[in-house]
């Protein structure tokens, strides 16, 4: 196990720029709460419309280590998303060369998120990390220490690219997120120490330290915020845990003792698609027409209620007292926005969740779909009563939202741990193949 205090701060290095080709036309797809055959008809017609459109060109996504030439970015729906509706589009991916992100920034991307699974894919499938990794192991670094050096360099380089957005928005946007070790998900003190170390070693004002919203780590969030470190709280799957996360943020601000709170910010990453994946399976087991009619509605409904809770918690005397010290709202961030069920519209977890003071972080699938045919309008609170109806209807069918949240949290933590361990194994194999000795 690496000791987190041993790692030096890596220095950035230049790399090549890839290309993008933005869409010019945006065919419409209607997305919302549908029932029965109406919902299925919308899904079917949406898929047909996308597949039959001859104007669709190459995808606007990062292709790691592939350099090409192309036309400069033009205005996209992502610019409208931010300028007209106040939602920041972020990209849920990071790999080398990080300058591949430049065309995406030009297309309207305003931040980047990463996680252990993303780095596992990036590092294990690319040769772009080999030179630095070889140097690290030859210098005596153990495998886990080398891993963090690779990660920190990518985060630093990405932070540099988004620094102009951070500066232009006075710290309101332009963040790059990096997660503490998933092995610490049940370790309150260890998470605090890891967050402090990551914040110090990355040493960039626009970095977000990601901390999972596990029961053990909610107190960590409060303490890290109180230290003046900005946090991306991840793996939120339920309204009750989300409220605990908000309270941890507020408690941390109040405990900080800082006279100026304007540089301590946070986002709360509320996961979406995985909720439908789990609840749809439960609805299938119930099997009644009422249950089957609720397919694909749970995630967006809960997200709409999360936004309602956000509006409630960031208002009133307690919040106003913090605002006087420069405090900024902990924005809701929609995570896990890729569609897992191919029968659903491919922008199902982006289009219905548009609203001010929010972030939507999109992996390749959701990003490409929305920039190609997404529509920009305020949707997150357009039909709260219907969202409440869906939420209640699921409860009446025996769906326990608290249990759903707990199960998804366990699965999420376990998934990240497996990715982390798999990557360390891959790096060990790389070290062996290079005939290097790992300490």
């Amino acid at each position: 196990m690496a000791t987190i205090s041993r790692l030096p701060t890596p220095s950035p290095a230049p790399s090549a720029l890839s290309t993008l080709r933005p869409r010019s036309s945006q065919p419409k797809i209607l997305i919302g709460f549908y029932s029965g055959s109406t919902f299925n008809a919308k899904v079917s017609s949406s898929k047909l419309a996308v597949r039959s459109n001859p104007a669709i060109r190459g995808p606007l996504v990062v292709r790691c280590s592939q350099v090409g030439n192309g036309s400069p970015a033009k205005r996209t729906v992502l610019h409208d998303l931010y300028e007209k509706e106040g939602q920041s589009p972020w990209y849920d991916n990071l790999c080398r060369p990080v300058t591949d992100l430049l065309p995406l920034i030009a297309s309207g991307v305003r931040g980047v998120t990463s996680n252990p699974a993303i780095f596992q894919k990036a590092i294990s499938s690319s040769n772009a990390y080999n030179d630095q990794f070889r140097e690290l192991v030859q210098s005596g670094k153990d495998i886990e220490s080398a891993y963090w050096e690779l990660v920190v360099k990518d985060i630093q380089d990405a932070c540099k690219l988004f620094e102009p957005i951070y500066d232009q928005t006075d710290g309101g946007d332009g963040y790059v997120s990096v997660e503490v070790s998933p092995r610490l998900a049940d370790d309150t003190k260890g998470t605090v120490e890891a967050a402090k170390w990551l914040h110090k070693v990355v040493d960039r004002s626009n970095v977000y330290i990601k901390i999972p919203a596990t029961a053990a780590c909610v107190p960590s969030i409060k303490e890290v915020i109180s230290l003046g470190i900005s946090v991306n709280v991840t793996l939120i799957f339920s309204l009750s845990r989300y409220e605990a996360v908000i309270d941890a943020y507020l408690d941390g601000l109040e405990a900080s003792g800082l006279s100026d709170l304007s540089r301590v910010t946070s986002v709360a990453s509320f996961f979406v698609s995985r909720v439908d994946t789990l609840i749809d399976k439960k609805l299938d087991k119930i099997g009644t027409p009422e249950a089957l009619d609720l397919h694909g509605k749970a995630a967006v409904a809960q997200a709409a209620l999360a936004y309602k809770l956000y509006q409630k918690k960031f208002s009133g005397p307690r919040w106003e007292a913090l605002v006087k010290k420069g405090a900024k709202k902990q924005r809701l961030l929609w995570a896990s926005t890729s569609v897992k069920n191919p029968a659903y519209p491919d922008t199902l977890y982006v289009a219905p969740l548009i609203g001010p003071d929010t972030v939507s972080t999109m992996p390749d699938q959701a990003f490409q779909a929305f920039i190609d045919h997404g529509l920009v309008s305020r949707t997150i609170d357009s039909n709260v009563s219907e969202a409440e109806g869906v939420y209640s209807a699921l409860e009446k069918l025996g769906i326990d939202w608290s249990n759903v949240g707990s199960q998804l949290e366990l699965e999420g933590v376990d998934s990240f741990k497996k990715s982390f361990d798999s990557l360390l194994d891959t790096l060990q194999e790389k070290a062996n193949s290079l005939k290097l000795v790992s300490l």
Side-chain angles (χ1 to χ4, degrees), residues 335-371:
S336 183
T337 55
S338 61
V339 175
K340 306 295 192 295
N341 187 336
Y344 295 161
D346 54 7
T347 57
L348 177 60
Y349 303 117
V350 180
L353 303 179
I354 297 173
D357 300 323
T358 60
V359 178
S360 181
T361 187
M362 306 175 222
D364 287 345
Q365 178 204 60
F367 181 85
Q368 182 182 346
F370 190 76
I371 206 168

Side-chain angles (χ1 to χ4, degrees), residues 258-280:
L258 296 172
S259 57
D260 179 12
L261 297 173
S262 62
R263 293 295 166 180
V264 188
T265 69
S266 181
V267 291
S269 295
F270 203 98
F271 279 55
V272 192
S273 67
R274 297 186 192 184
V275 174
D276 274 344
T277 300
L278 178 55
I279 290 184
D280 280 358

Side-chain angles (χ1 to χ4, degrees), residues 152-232:
V152 167
K153 174 174 169 48
D154 279 5
I155 296 298
Q156 287 179 322
D157 290 352
C159 281
K160 186 66 176 178
L161 297 183
F162 284 92
E163 193 175 52
I165 295 175
Y166 177 84
D167 292 339
Q168 291 161 11
T169 59
D170 192 27
D173 225 335
Y175 289 91
V176 179
S177 297
V178 59
E179 191 158 348
V180 298
S181 170
R183 292 173 174 172
L184 300 172
D186 296 317
D187 185 344
T188 304
K189 184 177 179 181
T191 294
V192 173
E193 292 305 310
K196 288 164 60 178
W197 172 77
L198 266 177
H199 175 74
K200 180 179 180 180
V201 74
V202 173
D203 192 26
R204 299 292 185 271
S205 56
N206 59 327
V207 66
Y208 266 142
I209 307 303
K210 290 183 81 172
I211 297 175
T214 58
C217 287
V218 169
S220 309
I221 296 162
K222 173 188 173 181
E223 185 169 348
V224 172
I225 290 292
S226 75
L227 296 172
I229 297 172
S230 295
V231 175
N232 177 341

Side-chain angles (χ1 to χ4, degrees), residues 34-92:
Y34 301 118
S35 60
S37 60
T38 304
F39 177 81
N40 293 329
K42 294 294 184 184
V43 173
S44 177
S45 63
S46 299
K47 289 171 66 181
L48 288 173
V50 174
R51 290 177 178 175
S52 63
N53 191 327
I56 292 179
R57 298 191 232 166
L60 177 61
V61 294
V62 165
R63 301 298 183 193
C64 297
S65 303
Q66 294 182 7
V67 183
N69 298 310
S71 57
K74 299 177 182 178
R75 185 177 180 86
T76 73
V77 291
L78 301 185
H79 295 103
D80 292 337
L81 194 64
Y82 176 74
E83 294 170 15
K84 294 181 180 180
E85 299 300 337
Q87 182 174 81
S88 296
W90 289 5
Y91 187 59
D92 190 29

